[in-house]
Amino acid sequence: MEIKDNTFSRQFETILDGKLISVEYSFQEKKIFLTKIHTPDHFDNEDFINDFLKNIMEIAYERKLKVVPIFPKIATFFRKNTKYKDLLPPGIKL
């Protein structure tokens, strides 16, 4: 999966079947706040979204960032994938 970090739009982007899927973010100090997932209408491929989020977590590891999941679907991803809980800043429990 190829992920583009569109810093101008502040979102991670990927293409599936010619359609753009993105995760909005904002930065504050050494934290990245994941604020929204944009998908095409009637998109329900949860496995693809999970793979996309896993790739974003790898980017966070590489950049030594802490991740703050603001969007409920991303918080649910953290609950289901506890191996990424070390990316959460101190004091955040899901």
Side-chain angles (χ1 to χ4, degrees):
M1 175 183 305
E2 183 179 332
I3 296 178
K4 178 184 175 197
D5 183 0
N6 186 337
T7 55
F8 180 73
S9 297
R10 293 187 335 254
Q11 62 188 16
F12 294 106
E13 303 172 338
T14 192
I15 304 289
L16 177 66
D17 299 331
K19 306 228 188 261
L20 178 69
I21 299 170
S22 62
V23 174
E24 284 184 14
Y25 65 79
S26 63
F27 278 111
Q28 184 178 352
E29 298 170 6
K30 294 288 279 175
K31 295 181 194 123
I32 185 168
F33 293 76
L34 301 179
T35 56
K36 185 123 172 108
I37 298 175
H38 295 280
T39 58
D41 290 337
H42 310 294
F43 183 83
D44 60 353
N45 190 339
E46 289 297 319
D47 291 333
F48 184 83
I49 296 295
N50 284 334
D51 288 341
F52 187 30
L53 290 172
K54 286 176 185 177
N55 282 293
I56 292 171
M57 295 311 124
E58 294 305 318
I59 292 169
Y61 277 124
E62 290 170 11
R63 297 180 184 177
K64 296 180 171 55
L65 298 171
K66 293 294 185 181
V67 178
V68 181
I70 302 296
F71 196 63
K73 191 178 273 190
I74 298 171
T76 300
F77 168 82
F78 269 93
R79 280 187 217 100
K80 290 180 180 176
N81 297 279
T82 56
K83 70 179 185 175
Y84 297 115
K85 70 178 180 180
D86 59 320
L87 284 172
L88 295 170
I92 294 196
K93 305 248 187 275
L94 298 176

